[in-house]
Amino acid sequence: MAENTENPKNPKNPKNPENSENSENIYVGDKIPTVVVDGVDIVYRVNGTGPGRGSATAALNRMLRRKKAEKAAGVRTVHAVKNVSFVAYRGEAIGLIGTNGSGKSTLLKAVAGLLPVENGRIHTDGQPSLLGVNAALMNDLTGERNVYLGGLAMGMSREQVKERYEEIVDFSGINEKGDFITLPMRTYSSGMAARLRFSIAAAKDHDVLLIDEALATGDRSFQKRSEARIRELRKHAGTVFLVSHSNKSIRDTCDRVLWLERGELRMDGPTEEVLEAYEAFTGGPDKAKAKPQPQPQPQPQAAVPS
Amino acid sequence: MSQVLHTPPPPTATAPAVVDDDLAALAARHGLSVSGARPSLREYVRQLWARRHFIAAFSTAKLTAQYSQAKLGQVWQVMNPLLNAAVYFFIFGVLLGTKKGVPDYIPFLVTGVFIWTFTQSSIMAGTRAISGNLGLVRALHFPRAALPISFCLQQLQQLLFSMGALVVILLVFGVPVSASWLLAVPALVLQFTFNAGISMIMARLGAKTPDIAQLMPFVLRTWMYISGVMWSIDHLLSKHNDLPSWVAPTLQANPAAVYIDLMRFALIDTFHSSQLPHHVWLIATGWALLAGVGGFIYFWKAEETYGRG
C-alpha cells in the first residue's frame, strides 16, 4: 500500500483517515472526478424460471398470459445492485470486494456502459474499459492473428497494434518455449492462453480501467509481471477499479475499497479499514459478532419484489 | 468518507436524496458523460467508421476459423457452394426437369444458388449477430452495428470464393467472357447493402426475441422458392397468361429475384435484358437504400439495450 500513496495526483492521504471525514467537500475543490455513480439500481430479468419451465405447454402458457402474471409466468427479476452511489477521482485505485454474487462484476459492467441501469445514472469521463478481450479472440486462429483481432476489438488502430506487437508477444512469454505464436490458440495450454489474453488486454492505455479478477492468471513469474504491468497501467490511467477475491492483491494495488454485500454498498473507505471489517465479516469464528448491521433494505425502492 | 453506509438510523436515510443532487451537479460541472447512453446518429456513424478495421478483421477471422480444423482447410470455401449447386442440379434439373426451355441451365442455376445463398446466410447470421455474441457485447465497447455488418462482410467474402468457382463453371459451359461481367460489381454492392440492412433489422429482433432464429429457416426457404433460384420467373410468366395481375409485378419486384436476375444478366450471354423487369437497376437501388438506411437507423435506435438480461 505504501508505494501507492506516492501518486502525486492524489492529495488524499490514506494514512490519515480522520481528515477524510467530510472529504466530499474537500474533493470537489481539488480533485477531478472520473466516475460518478448516482443512486444506481441494476436488475436482471431471467426468462423461463417458473415451475415446469421445460415443457412446451408451460412456455405457451407463459406467452399467452404474459401481461397478466409475469411473476407466475416465470419471469424473475434479480436485483443485483441496489441504490449504490460513489464518486471516483483521478489517480485513485479502487478495490471492489464482497462475497460471491454480491454484484461487484455487475457494477463494473454498468460503469463500463455494457449493462443498462434500472434507476440512477452513471457519469464517466471518457470511455471506461473492462480489462479483458477473451470474447473477441478465436481459438482456431493463430496467436498472432488474435493479437491483431484483440487489439482492433479494443479500439486500437492497425498501426498501434503493429507498433505494440513485439511488446505484447514478449510480455506474454508465449515464444519462450519455441515459436508458439504462429500456432492456433486451441493448441495452447490454459495458462499460456490466459497469459496471451492478459498481454493483449493490457496493451492498451485506458482512461478508466476496470479489472475483474485478472491478476490470478499464469505462473508465479507471470503474476509478478502482470502486477507490475497493472501498476504501470494505473499510472497512465485516470482511475483503476479492481474486482478481486484476493485481499492481498487489493492491498497491493488499491488505496480505497468499496465493499458490496447483496448488491448494497456496505462500506466505502481506505483499504485497511474496509478490509479489516470485511475480514471480520467473512472470517469463520467471529462471523456472528462481526455482523453488526442486519440486512434490511433502508431504501424503499430497493425492495422490488422478485 | 470512511463511515459504514446504510446504517439504520435516520440521518443516513435522508442522505441519498441530498447526495443525488450533488452527484449529478458534480458530474455536470466536470463535463462527464452518461455511461452507456446512445450516441447521436452522426456520432454513431463516425464511431462505426473508426472501427472499420475491426469489422474487416473480425469477418476474415470468422471465415478462416470456419474451416481451420478440416483437413482440406480453405478448399471447403469453394467445395461447399459447388456441392450445394450439384444437389440442386440433381433435384431440379434432372429429377423435376425445371430446366426445360431455360438455355445454359447449369450456369443459370449455379448463379441463382450462389447469389441466393449470399442473402440467405447474411440474414441468418444477422439474426444471431447480437444474441449469439453476447459475450463480446458484454465485454467490449464498440458500435454494435459492427457485428451484423461484419457477418455480412464474411458472407460477401465467402461469395467471392464462390464467384471464383462460378467463373470456372461459366467457362466450362462455354459462356463467353464479356464486358457485361463488370456489371457484377455494382450488383454485388447493391445486394450487400440490402443484406446488411435486413441483417441489422433481424439482429435487433433476434436480440430481443432469440426464438426468431428458429423461425427464420422456414421463412427463408419459402422466400427462396418464390425467388426463381432454380426456375425462370420470366419463363413462368410467359407460359401462364391467366395469372392474377398482381402476381407478375410482385414476383419481379422481389429483391432476391432482382439481385439474382441482375447477376444472371451480367454473367450469362443467353440471359437477355428482355427477361428483366422494367427499371431493374432502379428497383435494385431502391431496395438497397430502403433496407440499408432503414435497417441502420432501426438498429441504432436500440443501441443501448443490446446485451441486457
Side-chain angles (χ1 to χ4, degrees):
Chain A
M1 173 162 171
E3 70 229 78
N4 292 325
T5 62
E6 291 162 12
N7 195 328
K9 289 186 226 159
N10 184 354
K12 185 189 75 165
N13 183 0
K15 283 179 183 158
N16 207 1
E18 55 269 28
N19 87 344
S20 60
E21 199 53 55
N22 46 7
S23 47
E24 294 288 320
N25 305 331
I26 300 169
Y27 286 165
V28 171
D30 20 331
K31 298 194 73 175
I32 305 160
T34 51
V35 176
V36 175
V37 173
D38 183 0
V40 160
D41 285 86
I42 300 168
V43 177
Y44 287 103
R45 289 199 172 69
V46 188
N47 273 327
T49 51
R53 73 196 128 193
S55 76
T57 45
L60 208 61
N61 199 16
R62 234 178 2 249
M63 277 157 56
L64 294 175
R65 306 193 334 189
R66 171 178 286 166
K67 289 287 172 303
K68 266 191 234 161
E70 196 176 56
K71 191 176 158 196
V75 175
R76 272 178 56 188
T77 57
V78 179
H79 207 146
V81 171
K82 297 168 191 163
N83 195 25
V84 168
S85 299
F86 64 87
V87 181
Y89 296 91
R90 179 152 295 168
E92 274 186 324
I94 299 175
L96 276 167
I97 56 170
T99 48
N100 283 337
S102 54
K104 308 180 293 285
S105 299
T106 303
L107 182 60
L108 215 56
K109 287 201 167 144
V111 170
L114 299 166
L115 267 182
V117 296
E118 190 80 5
N119 295 310
R121 278 276 168 87
I122 298 177
H123 308 265
T124 59
D125 174 25
Q127 181 58 63
S129 8
L130 276 174
L131 182 63
V133 287
N134 307 5
L137 305 185
M138 296 179 200
N139 270 330
D140 284 329
L141 298 182
T142 62
E144 185 183 356
R145 290 193 66 172
N146 270 310
V147 171
Y148 275 91
L149 189 60
L152 291 171
M154 293 189 301
M156 294 164 81
S157 69
R158 233 171 236 291
E159 292 70 37
Q160 279 172 317
V161 183
K162 207 173 276 175
E163 225 168 78
R164 293 254 169 123
Y165 177 77
E166 283 303 320
E167 201 184 313
I168 295 170
V169 176
D170 289 347
F171 185 83
S172 71
I174 292 287
N175 274 350
E176 279 164 13
K177 294 193 176 72
D179 183 23
F180 276 98
I181 198 75
T182 51
L183 283 181
M185 255 180 90
R186 70 181 127 87
T187 63
Y188 293 7
S189 74
S190 55
M192 278 166 77
R195 279 155 58 167
L196 185 62
R197 283 196 291 263
F198 178 84
S199 309
I200 297 172
K204 190 173 180 259
D205 293 327
H206 306 270
D207 295 333
V208 177
L209 180 62
L210 314 165
I211 306 168
D212 196 343
E213 302 186 32
L215 286 176
T217 57
D219 51 31
R220 202 180 176 74
S221 72
F222 187 73
Q223 273 181 37
K224 280 231 174 77
R225 255 189 292 167
S226 49
E227 269 169 37
R229 177 72 185 132
I230 291 211
R231 267 195 289 279
E232 204 179 307
L233 280 174
R234 228 199 99 184
K235 254 183 261 162
H236 295 292
T239 311
V240 174
F241 286 85
L242 172 67
V243 167
S244 179
H245 284 292
S246 154
N247 290 355
K248 184 181 170 299
S249 63
I250 295 267
R251 274 201 176 89
D252 286 348
T253 326
C254 305
D255 41 35
R256 177 180 164 193
V257 170
L258 305 178
W259 175 11
L260 282 174
E261 204 57 60
R262 299 193 190 188
E264 289 173 39
L265 186 61
R266 198 176 156 108
M267 211 170 158
D268 173 0
T271 305
E272 263 321 305
E273 222 170 288
V274 181
L275 276 183
E276 259 166 44
Y278 180 64
E279 274 160 5
F281 175 75
T282 52
D286 347 313
K287 197 170 179 178
K289 194 173 62 180
K291 208 175 169 185
Q293 291 88 30
Q295 302 288 331
Q297 284 120 12
Q299 283 75 35
Q301 76 267 37
V304 167
S306 55
Chain B
M1 176 170 177
S2 56
Q3 79 273 30
V4 174
L5 299 181
H6 298 323
T7 39
T12 40
T14 55
V18 182
V19 168
D20 279 359
D21 293 344
D22 281 357
L23 291 182
L26 178 72
R29 206 163 44 243
H30 289 272
L32 303 188
S33 52
V34 175
S35 192
R38 168 158 48 103
S40 69
L41 192 56
R42 204 197 166 115
E43 170 66 13
Y44 193 64
V45 173
R46 197 195 59 73
Q47 286 179 3
L48 200 60
W49 178 247
R51 288 302 183 110
R52 63 193 181 280
H53 293 302
F54 168 62
I55 296 176
F58 189 74
S59 63
T60 316
K62 277 270 179 209
L63 189 72
T64 330
Q66 209 174 356
Y67 298 111
S68 73
Q69 303 231 34
K71 284 235 161 49
L72 287 177
Q74 304 305 315
V75 174
W76 284 108
Q77 308 277 19
V78 183
M79 289 287 286
N80 228 333
L82 281 181
L83 289 173
N84 228 333
V87 170
Y88 283 118
F89 175 69
F90 178 66
I91 294 173
F92 292 95
V94 179
L95 293 184
L96 294 178
T98 26
K99 72 173 170 183
K100 241 187 299 165
V102 180
D104 286 325
Y105 183 69
I106 290 184
F108 175 91
L109 172 76
V110 175
T111 310
V113 170
F114 286 2
I115 296 298
W116 165 255
T117 307
F118 177 36
T119 292
Q120 171 188 289
S121 32
S122 295
I123 293 175
M124 254 341 275
T127 311
R128 296 179 203 272
I130 301 294
S131 59
N133 290 282
L134 279 180
L136 197 55
V137 171
R138 287 182 188 161
L140 288 170
H141 230 279
F142 55 89
R144 306 309 184 198
L147 283 177
I149 293 176
S150 191
F151 282 112
C152 288
L153 205 57
Q154 181 197 345
Q155 297 307 326
L156 180 64
Q157 287 174 298
Q158 172 84 64
L159 178 70
L160 293 180
F161 276 105
S162 308
M163 293 301 267
L166 179 60
V167 166
V168 176
I169 294 175
L170 291 175
L171 295 176
V172 166
F173 283 87
V175 177
V177 180
S178 78
S180 70
W181 283 21
L182 290 176
L183 288 176
V185 177
L188 276 186
V189 170
L190 291 176
Q191 196 195 356
F192 173 77
T193 316
F194 173 79
N195 289 353
I198 301 293
S199 295
M200 284 187 275
I201 294 173
M202 294 317 296
R204 176 170 169 183
L205 294 175
K208 187 133 200 303
T209 320
D211 311 44
I212 288 179
Q214 309 299 325
L215 205 64
M216 281 316 281
F218 304 103
V219 176
L220 286 168
R221 209 174 309 155
T222 313
W223 191 5
M224 175 178 81
Y225 286 128
I226 59 168
S227 297
V229 175
M230 39 317 246
W231 48 275
S232 165
I233 292 181
D234 175 63
H235 214 72
L236 178 94
L237 294 177
S238 59
K239 250 193 321 195
H240 302 268
N241 293 319
D242 50 343
L243 290 167
S245 58
W246 55 268
V247 173
T250 313
L251 282 177
Q252 287 181 327
N254 169 3
V258 167
Y259 295 121
I260 291 170
D261 281 346
L262 267 184
M263 190 58 79
R264 283 173 181 155
F265 169 66
L267 297 181
I268 306 170
D269 62 329
T270 50
F271 193 95
H272 301 294
S273 57
S274 62
Q275 288 166 267
L276 292 169
H278 298 297
H279 309 299
V280 65
W281 286 101
L282 209 64
I283 299 175
T285 313
W287 275 119
L289 286 179
L290 183 71
V293 175
F296 183 73
I297 292 176
Y298 180 71
F299 185 87
W300 162 76
K301 285 261 185 197
E303 173 76 4
E304 72 277 15
T305 66
Y306 301 129
R308 167 162 229 158

